[in-house]
Amino acid sequence: MAEACNFIEQIVAEDLASGKIGAVQTRFPPEPNGYLHIGHAKSMFVNFGIAEKFGGKCNLFFDDTNPSKEKTEYVEAIKRDIAWLGYHWAKEVYASDFFDDIYAFAERLIAMGKAYVCDLSPEEIKATRGTLTEPGTESPYRNRSVEENLQLFREMRAGKYADGEKCLRAKIDMSSPNINLRDPVIYRILRAAHHRTGDKWCIYPMYDYAHPVCDYLQGVTHSLCTLEFEDHRPLYDWVGITLGFDPKPRQIEFARLNMTNLVMSKRYLKKLVEEGSVHGWDDPRMPTLAGLRNRGVPAAALRDFCMRAGVAKAQSECDICYFEAIVREYCNAHAPRAMAVVDPLKLTITNYEGSEEVDFEVNQLDPAAGVRKVTFGRHLYIERGDFSSDPPPKYHRLKPGGVVRLKNAYIVRCDEAVCDERGTVTELRCTYLPESRSGHDTSGVKAKGVLHWVNAETCVPAVLKQYEHLLRDADYAGQDFSERMNPDSEHVFAAVAEPYLAEAEEGTAFQLMRTGYYKTCRENGALCLSEIVSLKDTFNK
Ligand code: ATP
Ligand code: MG
């Protein structure tokens, strides 16, 4: 049998070994009220991962018991995201598929004297629930007869009462130390069109009641969820035991993935989209799976991150730099190298005529990727930031009278910086050393700096986009997320790029030399280079 790598896998392995279960069945249970985010990737890693590892199955279970917030658009987006991550669900099921059964089980609870219709308003129910130190008070409707309860519940279903006028509550224990067991509401009246069942229902089951029923009906063996449901487990078990579920699914909780610099809640992410703080759910700065995909993050890197982040009971916060380091690792191994220049400055080699092809390794870490040709010529661009007319000591980039190597080409010396009337440098006039060609250098000249460049005659204009984290961190911890928003997280620059970048299939990831990992895309027909991750590793430092 597969080796167990965390406490949940250990439980599953034991249950399989002891014959308690024949095969493992899990479910990934998103509520279709928004797009999935990186936290959900962890939940998928746990649910799909365990099923895969132990030869079982994982369903995609849409928890759609909250009709006012759920939409088919989200269902489609969620399926796209799961497929992108490379997971396969056995069955696609919806809580709403089971509405009839969930209802029938509720009638059974009533018949057993384990549930009653309550006329208290939601506010009154809240007010009589008690506190952590004080028991709650029993509802005056708690001791209605089975017959009366059944009749009222059926009338609730038939639409006889207004929203909130009545509800169905489980009859458990108003003095339980666990507030979740103080006669929780299990059905409410709500006139809201459901994205799948339309107006068929005007009563909807509550999550805590519907979930164990749906798990049971799907044959779930291990219901894996995050720690905030730990206090709900006694209710989960109460439902299963009272209704005689056999085999009863077992709920196991694990710690949520929390990360620095990220908001990881659909509600907040939705707010960002709605108030226009980002361009949409798939904005490259968003921690949504759609955003990460659009950003150019490889799905394999995300899965790997979830694995390395581990599965535990203890709450923790993962440094986003750790995630970025893994993305960088993947990009570094696979991305072809190319050159693009931000804020270009003209560089003319006055003693060079014509053009020639120089060799450029596609990826020095991957010899199989081979070598391509880049056209060198008299008119080039380098980055304005790579030249200084008044450099600090030990400045290895270009300065008046200084030398640098142009990547994979020649050493050049800066003879003159031409300025306009305002003193802004508009052109560097240089000479090259003909004996200094990369790989054949016999010039004897040492150039400490190596600059990337593009050929002014063949280059294409591009827009280059860099991103910062959406949220500021550390010092801002504990503050409301809107106060932590980074107001300036997208930077757009004019750039020029090798034609190679424009020819690549849209969405290809490149390492732009000395700049970072970027994905190509088109914006209004123009080449856009969108940052995936920077070159600098701030995590390992
Ligand atoms: P949100 O607050 O973002 O809406 P949620 O938990 O309400 O999150 P669901 O759609 O209900 O979102 O989540 C589906 C599954 O993903 C649940 O089992 C939930 O526990 C899990 N999940 C959500 N966020 C995280 C996270 N940050 N880390 C691990 N699992 C998560
Ligand atoms: Mg939820």
Side-chain angles (χ1 to χ4, degrees):
M1 201 194 298
E3 194 202 337
C5 291
N6 58 53
F7 78 100
I8 301 180
E9 293 187 1
Q10 219 147 5
I11 294 171
V12 169
E14 280 164 20
D15 288 351
L16 284 167
S18 70
K20 186 172 166 201
I21 58 167
V24 61
Q25 171 76 57
T26 58
R27 84 287 169 270
F28 170 61
E31 183 181 353
N33 62 351
Y35 281 58
L36 298 182
H37 52 63
I38 187 167
H40 293 110
K42 174 163 182 180
S43 177
M44 278 189 257
F45 167 76
V46 173
N47 282 294
F48 285 102
I50 286 182
E52 250 164 48
K53 186 163 181 176
F54 293 94
K57 288 183 177 152
C58 178
N59 288 345
L60 170 55
F61 172 72
F62 285 107
D63 167 23
D64 58 350
T65 51
N66 211 350
S68 46
K69 294 191 184 136
E70 294 153 4
K71 284 203 248 166
T72 307
E73 174 203 342
Y74 298 137
V75 167
E76 295 309 319
I78 288 170
K79 284 158 64 172
R80 234 180 355 254
D81 290 343
I82 301 173
W84 171 66
L85 263 187
Y87 293 118
H88 306 280
W89 55 87
K91 286 191 198 145
E92 176 183 336
V93 279
Y94 294 77
S96 54
D97 294 340
F98 301 118
F99 277 172
D100 285 316
D101 304 281
I102 298 170
Y103 177 84
F105 277 120
E107 284 209 354
R108 194 186 298 177
L109 285 176
I110 293 173
M112 294 166 78
K114 297 288 187 187
Y116 61 95
V117 172
C118 184
D119 296 3
L120 295 181
S121 67
E123 295 73 35
E124 288 167 326
I125 290 178
K126 202 168 166 206
T128 51
R129 204 169 43 188
T131 63
L132 286 174
T133 49
E134 279 169 51
T137 34
E138 293 189 354
S139 161
Y141 307 98
R142 197 170 197 262
N143 296 313
R144 278 175 162 155
S145 69
V146 168
E147 292 68 34
E148 190 187 359
N149 279 321
L150 262 184
Q151 190 195 334
L152 291 172
F153 188 48
R154 286 174 185 167
E155 287 172 355
M156 276 170 61
R157 176 186 185 169
K160 189 164 172 192
Y161 305 108
D163 289 10
E165 195 179 332
K166 291 189 184 337
C167 65
L168 185 70
R169 297 175 72 177
K171 192 171 178 177
I172 309 179
D173 180 3
M174 286 308 289
S175 55
S176 168
N178 184 330
I179 293 179
N180 293 305
L181 293 181
R182 294 184 189 166
D183 291 9
V185 174
I186 61 176
Y187 258 97
R188 59 185 170 148
I189 305 174
L190 181 68
R191 282 170 181 80
H194 187 279
H195 74 116
R196 294 183 81 241
T197 57
D199 293 326
K200 180 177 173 193
W201 297 88
C202 64
I203 57 171
Y204 290 95
M206 303 302 286
Y207 173 89
D208 276 340
Y209 163 63
H211 208 82
V213 174
C214 292
D215 279 348
Y216 169 66
L217 293 171
Q218 289 174 80
V220 166
T221 56
H222 298 82
S223 183
L224 312 174
C225 60
T226 37
L227 276 182
E228 69 270 22
F229 293 104
E230 196 169 24
D231 286 348
H232 299 238
R233 184 172 4 114
L235 179 52
Y236 184 96
D237 288 339
W238 181 89
V239 172
I241 291 165
T242 307
L243 289 170
F245 293 166
D246 184 27
K248 192 182 81 55
R250 172 169 178 186
Q251 176 177 306
I252 306 171
E253 309 85 18
F254 60 94
R256 280 178 101 81
L257 174 68
N258 295 309
M259 288 175 79
T260 61
N261 305 87
L262 289 188
V263 205
M264 240 192 294
S265 144
K266 277 180 279 182
R267 194 159 56 89
Y268 286 135
L269 295 174
K270 194 170 179 185
K271 195 165 163 230
L272 293 182
V273 173
E274 280 168 359
E275 67 194 17
S277 305
V278 292
H279 303 303
W281 283 101
D282 69 346
D283 186 298
R285 292 165 294 175
M286 287 281 270
T288 51
L289 300 188
L292 294 166
R293 177 168 66 239
N294 190 22
R295 178 85 177 235
V297 167
L302 186 49
R303 285 199 309 269
D304 193 16
F305 164 72
C306 291
M307 188 185 74
R308 295 204 228 171
V311 178
K313 272 267 185 201
Q315 294 283 13
S316 62
E317 189 178 55
C318 180
D319 192 324
I320 195 166
C321 297
Y322 180 57
F323 173 62
E324 290 168 355
I326 292 174
V327 174
R328 191 174 294 115
E329 209 174 290
Y330 272 76
C331 290
N332 190 24
H334 303 292
R337 278 47 175 163
M339 298 190 286
V341 163
V342 180
D343 195 4
L345 175 59
K346 212 153 108 185
L347 185 152
T348 306
I349 305 176
T350 51
N351 62 340
Y352 189 93
E353 295 295 339
S355 69
E356 72 190 283
E357 305 290 306
V358 298
D359 286 339
F360 207 89
E361 272 175 299
V362 172
N363 182 342
Q364 74 280 12
L365 299 178
D366 177 12
V371 170
R372 65 185 177 91
K373 301 288 182 192
V374 176
T375 310
F376 185 76
R378 178 182 171 92
H379 299 288
L380 309 175
Y381 285 117
I382 63 165
E383 297 207 347
R384 184 168 291 276
D386 280 338
F387 173 78
S388 172
S389 30
D390 183 20
K394 298 204 179 142
Y395 186 80
H396 295 316
R397 289 171 279 164
L398 204 51
K399 57 189 170 192
V403 293
V404 291
R405 172 170 297 283
L406 295 174
K407 178 79 186 156
N408 285 25
Y410 294 94
I411 293 176
V412 293
R413 169 173 287 113
C414 178
D415 303 318
E416 184 193 356
V418 181
C419 296
D420 62 14
E421 62 280 6
R422 276 175 304 173
T424 306
V425 178
T426 54
E427 182 187 359
L428 300 175
R429 297 182 70 81
C430 301
T431 41
Y432 85 116
L433 309 183
E435 289 79 42
S436 66
R437 187 171 158 152
S438 290
H440 312 274
D441 185 359
T442 55
S443 69
V445 175
K446 284 252 174 296
K448 284 200 170 147
V450 180
L451 302 187
H452 64 290
W453 50 276
V454 297
N455 186 318
E457 258 138 42
T458 59
C459 71
V460 291
V463 166
L464 187 138
K465 293 189 177 175
Q466 265 174 15
Y467 308 106
E468 286 177 36
H469 299 134
L470 266 181
L471 286 199
R472 298 179 293 186
D473 220 54
D475 305 347
Y476 299 89
Q479 294 182 29
D480 179 67
F481 102 100
S482 52
E483 292 160 36
R484 291 175 55 199
M485 275 295 290
N486 178 352
D488 192 21
S489 52
E490 183 187 60
H491 305 283
V492 180
F493 303 96
V496 284
E498 287 190 69
Y500 175 64
L501 287 164
E503 288 153 13
E505 196 188 327
E506 220 178 303
T508 309
F510 287 94
Q511 184 194 89
L512 300 183
M513 312 227 48
R514 300 179 61 234
T515 305
Y517 294 96
Y518 285 73
K519 181 191 99 161
T520 59
C521 50
R522 292 264 153 205
E523 240 178 48
N524 307 321
L527 175 64
C528 173
L529 301 165
S530 175
E531 184 182 38
I532 302 169
V533 67
S534 67
L535 273 182
K536 244 209 293 278
D537 188 341
T538 46
F539 184 71
N540 289 321
K541 266 186 196 162

